[in-house]
């Protein structure tokens, strides 16, 4: 089969579209024909080099496709079924896994990070990862859902305990996590303030339900948040930008507010004054993906049409270098999807 592999870390030029051995399912696995694989910033980090990535490596976390064949232990999936994949690898038998806390499993990793991912024609995965999708969701839309909607759900619902009446600051409205978080926060009847780098993106964010938009190139985030909240600040900040916004994000929190972060796109090192943390009784929460239970919860709302994936554009899998270059420029609003 054809797949995209990296044999060394580096720029988009290390991505090779090449022949690899066909994927074969084990007895507890299903073989999926990949129809769409959505990209995430993780694809770029993996390509540039992350610890634990063994070479050669197939990237790609968010897969939608069709069941081709199932192993003999798999009784609830049938060839031809339209499905998406839970974008994670876990052992499924440790104490954390059986308690439903898959993202705390010692073996936990994101599909396409420390295990081969979906930038290929066929992928074999444990049946527990395979989730049927309704007909009203096309493959590009379905592939755009799992990682970002699960991440945003775990951040807002699982960790920060969002509820009606909260005010939430969501950084990076045009990112996958931003798009998911805006919709989830609105579903919980929270007031949403979001940020983006231009007016067009802010308008798109308002269409998704955001109440207020801040242009982070022209306005200072904390000043605008103060104005919008009568100097109170927000209950929850959804962070994934990292070094460039951390200081602003901390300043936006009201007393006893919660900052929850799942990324560090602009850099991992951020400092803060400990006195500010304890005297204002703030909570700083780290979030990594989510659980299978949370994925099913979020998907229920996607399948019912209450949460909507946003596809920016698609590329052919063989043009994977163009897709990475496009991602690097950060001009998109929504997901970039590759099609084998
Ligand atoms: Zn486990």
């Amino acid at each position: 089969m054809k797949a995209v592999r990296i044999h060394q870390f580096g720029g988009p030029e290390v991505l090779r579209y090449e022949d690899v051995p066909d994927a074969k399912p084990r007895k507890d696995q299903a073989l999926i024909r990949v129809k769409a694989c959505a990209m995430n910033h993780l694809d770029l980090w993996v390509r540039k080099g992350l610890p634990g990535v063994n070479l050669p490596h197939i990237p790609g976390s968010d897969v939608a496709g069709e069941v081709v064949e199932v192993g003999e232990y798999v009784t609830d999936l049938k060839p031809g079924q339209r499905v998406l994949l839970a974008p994670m690898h876990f052992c499924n038998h440790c104490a954390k896994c059986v308690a439903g806390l898959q993202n705390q499993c010692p073996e936990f990793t994101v599909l396409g990070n420390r295990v081969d991912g979906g930038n290929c024609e066929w992928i074999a995965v444990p049946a527990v990862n395979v989730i049927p999708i309704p007909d009203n969701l096309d493959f590009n839309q379905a592939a755009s859902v799992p990682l970002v909607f699960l991440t945003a759900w775990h951040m807002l619902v699982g960790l920060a305990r969002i509820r009606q009446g909260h005010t939430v600051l969501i950084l990076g409205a045009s990112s996958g996590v931003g798009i998911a978080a805006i919709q989830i926060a609105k579903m919980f009847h929270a007031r949403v303030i979001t940020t983006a780098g231009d007016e067009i993106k802010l308008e798109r964010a308002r269409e998704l339900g955001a109440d207020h938009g801040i242009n982070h190139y022209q306005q200072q985030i904390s000043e605008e948040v103060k104005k919008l909240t009568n100097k109170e600040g927000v209950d929850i900040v959804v962070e994934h930008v990292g070094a460039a916004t951390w200081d602003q994000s901390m300043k936006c929190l009201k007393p006893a507010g919660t900052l929850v972060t799942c990324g560090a796109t602009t850099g991992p090192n951020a400092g803060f004054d400990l006195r500010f943390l304890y005297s204002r009784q703030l909570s700083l929460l780290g979030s990594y993906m989510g659980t299978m239970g949370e994925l099913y919860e979020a998907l229920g709302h996607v399948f019912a049409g209450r949460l909507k994936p946003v596809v920016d554009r698609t590329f052919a899998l063989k043009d994977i270098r163009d897709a990475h270059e496009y991602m690097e420029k950060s001009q998109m609003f929504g997901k970039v999807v590759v099609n084998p």
Side-chain angles (χ1 to χ4, degrees):
M1 67 169 181
K2 290 287 188 192
V4 169
R5 288 201 300 191
I6 52 171
H7 296 256
Q8 64 189 96
F9 299 123
E13 70 282 355
V14 303
L15 298 157
R16 286 200 218 158
Y17 182 69
E18 60 189 10
D19 290 308
V20 303
D22 285 352
K24 291 226 165 42
R26 296 186 319 236
K27 288 179 179 179
D28 63 336
Q29 288 187 324
L31 183 66
I32 308 299
R33 184 191 312 278
V34 179
K35 294 285 197 174
C37 187
M39 292 183 63
N40 294 279
H41 276 284
L42 179 64
D43 295 60
L44 309 183
W45 301 126
V46 165
R47 190 200 73 217
K48 290 171 187 170
L50 283 182
V53 177
N54 294 313
L55 301 174
H57 176 77
I58 302 174
S61 305
D62 275 326
V63 174
E66 275 173 6
V67 177
V68 177
E69 138 188 12
V70 297
E72 67 172 287
Y73 299 163
V74 181
T75 53
D76 57 341
L77 294 168
K78 291 195 173 45
Q81 261 184 311
R82 302 170 74 252
V83 297
L84 62 75
L85 301 187
M88 50 175 122
H89 168 86
F90 49 93
C91 80
N92 209 24
H93 55 75
C94 73
K96 295 295 185 182
C97 281
V98 296
L101 302 168
Q102 290 83 7
N103 59 343
Q104 294 178 33
C105 171
E107 277 188 27
F108 185 85
T109 189
V110 180
L111 190 68
N113 183 3
R114 283 185 285 127
V115 294
D116 278 342
N119 278 188
C120 53
E121 290 181 295
W122 290 281
I123 184 170
V125 293
V128 67
N129 287 70
V130 183
I131 302 173
I133 56 173
D135 291 338
N136 62 1
L137 214 55
D138 70 34
F139 288 118
N140 291 329
Q141 291 170 321
S144 299
V145 172
L147 192 148
V148 291
F149 278 87
L150 172 58
T151 298
W153 189 272
H154 184 57
M155 292 173 86
L156 280 170
V157 186
L159 294 176
R161 307 286 178 199
I162 189 172
R163 59 176 192 265
Q164 190 162 14
H166 272 167
T167 300
V168 184
L169 171 65
I170 296 166
L171 296 181
S174 61
S175 67
V177 168
I179 287 168
I182 289 169
Q183 295 180 71
I184 292 166
K186 289 313 293 181
M187 206 174 75
F188 281 83
H189 305 289
R191 182 184 179 206
V192 172
I193 304 170
T194 192
T195 72
D198 66 57
E199 232 356 90
I200 296 166
K201 288 177 176 173
L202 288 174
E203 191 49 43
R204 300 279 312 267
R206 286 186 198 101
E207 286 164 15
L208 289 174
D211 299 286
H212 310 280
I214 298 172
N215 183 325
H216 59 230
Y217 291 130
Q218 290 174 2
Q219 297 168 297
Q220 195 179 28
I221 296 171
S222 60
E223 285 304 311
E224 294 304 311
V225 165
K226 269 185 197 147
K227 280 186 217 162
L228 290 166
T229 59
N230 198 20
K231 294 188 185 162
E232 271 197 343
V234 301
D235 299 278
I236 302 170
V237 177
V238 172
E239 245 292 346
H240 51 101
V241 180
T245 51
W246 187 266
D247 182 52
Q248 288 288 303
S249 294
M250 294 278 288
K251 284 182 182 154
C252 290
L253 288 169
K254 68 164 68 162
T258 298
L259 184 157
V260 57
T261 181
C262 69
T265 310
T266 59
N269 296 312
F272 58 85
D273 186 333
L274 286 169
R275 294 166 298 185
F276 188 75
L277 177 72
Y278 65 70
S279 65
R280 290 181 65 83
Q281 302 164 65
L282 305 177
S283 296
L284 303 180
L285 303 178
S287 183
Y288 192 52
M289 293 284 282
T291 68
M292 284 297 290
E294 288 171 326
L295 178 59
Y296 273 98
E297 262 187 288
L299 286 176
H301 295 290
V302 174
F303 295 165
R306 288 185 286 274
L307 300 174
K308 293 185 173 63
V310 177
V311 179
D312 176 87
R313 65 175 285 191
T314 62
F315 289 85
L317 182 61
K318 67 179 172 54
D319 298 326
I320 188 71
R321 291 180 187 176
D322 296 339
H324 274 243
E325 278 163 12
Y326 181 69
M327 278 280 289
E328 300 262 21
K329 288 189 202 130
S330 284
Q331 290 305 306
M332 63 275 179
F333 189 97
K335 301 299 282 181
V336 176
V337 182
V338 293
N339 301 121

